[in-house]
Amino acid sequence: PESADLRALARHLYESYLKYFPLTKAKARAILSGKTSDNAPFVIHDMKSLMEGEHMINCRQMPMQEHRRSDVGIMREVELRFFHSCQSRSAEAVSEVTEFAKSIPGFVNLDLNDQVTLLKYGVIEVLIIMMAPLMNKDGTLISYGQIFMTREFLKSLRKPFCEMMEPKFEFSVKFNMLELDDSDMALFLAVIILSGDRPGLLNVKPIEDLQETVLHSLELQLKTNHPDSLQLFAKVLQKMTDLRQLVTDHVQLIQLMKETELDWCLHPLLQEIMRDLY
Amino acid sequence: LKEKHKILHRLLQNSSSPVDL
């Protein structure tokens, strides 16, 4: 394709990205560095601040249960409520990623079963990539940037909750060193979604053709946008290998939680995605 | 496959903005 077409594709995907994803990297980095006129985020660093900030996370849907009124019981409930709210937000984010996928030229013309497969296998990878701009080495923004939750607090939760986020921090700190901006991210997300090697795809060729065009667009974009960053295109693509391992580990952890946490019930949309995934 | 993924299928078929879940 001509470079003008590739640039138009990049512009189109960037516009979709801005339309469907409420918290951009530019905004997240402004919040994290204090360079915004908005209020600084509320910091959650322990159980007390989690309870104080709960109303901002909108995680009070689960009623307090009568049989657990001890301090330990209340803390377990606060943790569970927090992870339920994370699930609700994840389900919303899946919906946003779906709209973004549908905006990729040619996606909605693919076999409908293949559209389902691409989303099923791609969406958690996309969500992990989208988490990276919200994170720094010390913590992560949540609730659309209203809250900063510290990495140490997440590590201090009981098992297996404490194991959920640490691998994402390790990945994100390295991924953020590539310094992609929102327009680069939009193309990279489309590349991830259009992976022709997902299990069970019926018609791989049109998916690979679409991905090839987006890859050309990403390569051109990175060369233009980051002229001094050597081999950036290759470095970005290498992250896709790390992502698959992260998703496999994440799904195993969720399965473990389903078995060990009596109060744990997985959001139906997330259940659909994770059932028979890897 | 789409039978086992009813919500994903609905999200894909929905023609407007993100679905309220």
Side-chain angles (χ1 to χ4, degrees), chain A residues 217-234:
Chain A
S217 182
L218 177 62
E219 188 175 17
L220 179 66
Q221 159 95 3
L222 294 179
K223 276 185 182 151
T224 315
N225 210 12
H226 307 263
D228 301 325
S229 187
L230 292 175
Q231 300 297 325
L232 182 58
F233 182 56

Side-chain angles (χ1 to χ4, degrees), chain A residues 9-22 92-108 110 115 118-119 122-123 125-127 129-130 181-194 210 214 217-218, chain B residues 11-12 14-19:
Chain A
L9 175 62
R11 260 197 314 277
H12 167 77
L13 290 175
Y14 179 43
E15 281 164 16
S16 295
Y17 174 100
L18 295 177
K19 180 176 176 189
Y20 294 117
F21 301 136
E92 275 174 23
V94 171
S95 171
E96 292 158 11
V97 173
T98 307
E99 292 306 313
F100 175 76
K102 284 155 64 178
S103 78
I104 301 171
F107 183 88
V108 293
L110 298 171
Q115 291 181 42
L118 292 179
L119 276 175
V123 78
E125 293 179 14
V126 167
L127 295 186
I129 286 290
M130 294 192 66
D181 68 17
D182 287 300
S183 57
D184 309 325
M185 294 279 281
L187 284 161
F188 185 43
L189 299 183
V191 168
I192 292 170
I193 292 167
L194 295 169
L210 290 180
V214 183
S217 182
L218 177 62
Chain B
L11 295 178
L12 282 164
N14 175 51
S15 58
S16 56
S17 54
V19 171

